[in-house]
C-alpha cells in the first residue's frame, strides 16, 4: 500500500500500489488546477482506493462535455484526486501528492496543444497527443 495526501495531511488516500496508468496533461484546466505548467495523474480503479478526510469538491465541464470533479483539502488547498463522469469507475490521483520520486513515469502526454515550450515529457514509449489520448491526432 502507498499513500497520497494533501500538504497538511487532512485528506489522504490509501492506494494498492503503483499504477502503470500515468498521464501527463498540459490542458489549461490542469495548469490552473495545479498551479504548475502541467498536471500528472495516476489512475486507479475507484474501488481500490480508500479515502480519508473530508475534501471539498469542485465541478467543472471537461473538454469532452462530461463533468470533471476535483477533490481538494479545504484547509491547505491541495487537490489530491479527481473523478470524471465519463469514467466513473476510475480515480485520478495527483502524482505529486504521492511524493515518491521513483513513481512510474507517464505513458502518455496529452493536450500538448497547450504545452509550455520548454516542457519535454520523455521516456521509453511515451505517447504524445495534441488533444486527449482518445483523439486520433498523435504526432
Ligand atoms: Zn490539507
Ligand atoms: Zn488536463
Amino acid at each position: 500500500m502507498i499513500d497520497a495526501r494533501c500538504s497538511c495531511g487532512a485528506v489522504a488516500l490509501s492506494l494498492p500500489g503503483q499504477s502503470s496508468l500515468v498521464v501527463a496533461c498540459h490542458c489549461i484546466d490542469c495548469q490552473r488546477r495545479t498551479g504548475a505548467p502541467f498536471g500528472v495523474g495516476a489512475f486507479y480503479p475507484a474501488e481500490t482506493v480508500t479515502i480519508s478526510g473530508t475534501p471539498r469538491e469542485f465541478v467543472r465541464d471537461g473538454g469532452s462535455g462530461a463533468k470533471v470533479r476535483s477533490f481538494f483539502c479545504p484547509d491547505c488547498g491541495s487537490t489530491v484526486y479527481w473523478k470524471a463522469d465519463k469514467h466513473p469507475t476510475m480515480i485520478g490521483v495527483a502524482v505529486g501528492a504521492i511524493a515518491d520520486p521513483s513513481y512510474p513515469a507517464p505513458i502518455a502526454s496529452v493536450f500538448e496543444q497547450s504545452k509550455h515550450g520548454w516542457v519535454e515529457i520523455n521516456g521509453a514509449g511515451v505517447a504524445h497527443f495534441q488533444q486527449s489520448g482518445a483523439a486520433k491526432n498523435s504526432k
Side-chain angles (χ1 to χ4, degrees):
M1 303 289 276
I2 61 174
D3 294 324
R5 68 169 178 84
C6 64
S7 294
C8 76
V11 176
L13 305 183
S14 181
L15 307 169
Q18 293 181 333
S19 171
S20 56
L21 186 52
V22 178
V23 177
C25 184
H26 307 273
C27 82
I28 297 297
D29 287 319
C30 283
Q31 293 186 25
R32 291 201 196 281
R33 175 182 65 76
T34 59
F38 59 99
V40 185
F43 292 86
Y44 290 86
E47 73 273 12
T48 67
V49 178
T50 304
I51 298 162
S52 59
T54 49
R56 279 192 61 191
E57 178 179 348
F58 171 69
V59 184
R60 66 174 174 82
D61 291 319
S64 61
K67 304 286 187 200
V68 176
R69 302 165 189 279
S70 293
F71 295 87
F72 64 96
C73 174
D75 294 325
C76 72
S78 299
T79 300
V80 183
Y81 65 100
W82 58 92
K83 296 178 184 173
D85 285 8
K86 198 177 173 187
H87 303 288
T89 63
M90 299 296 283
I91 284 183
V93 179
V95 168
I98 300 169
D100 175 5
S102 67
Y103 200 84
I107 59 167
S109 174
V110 303
F111 287 97
E112 290 196 341
Q113 64 188 6
S114 50
K115 181 175 75 63
H116 286 227
W118 55 267
V119 171
E120 291 290 341
I121 306 296
N122 294 318
V126 62
H128 298 272
F129 300 92
Q130 285 299 301
Q131 296 176 359
S132 77
K136 288 188 174 67
N137 57 0
S138 66
K139 61 180 177 182

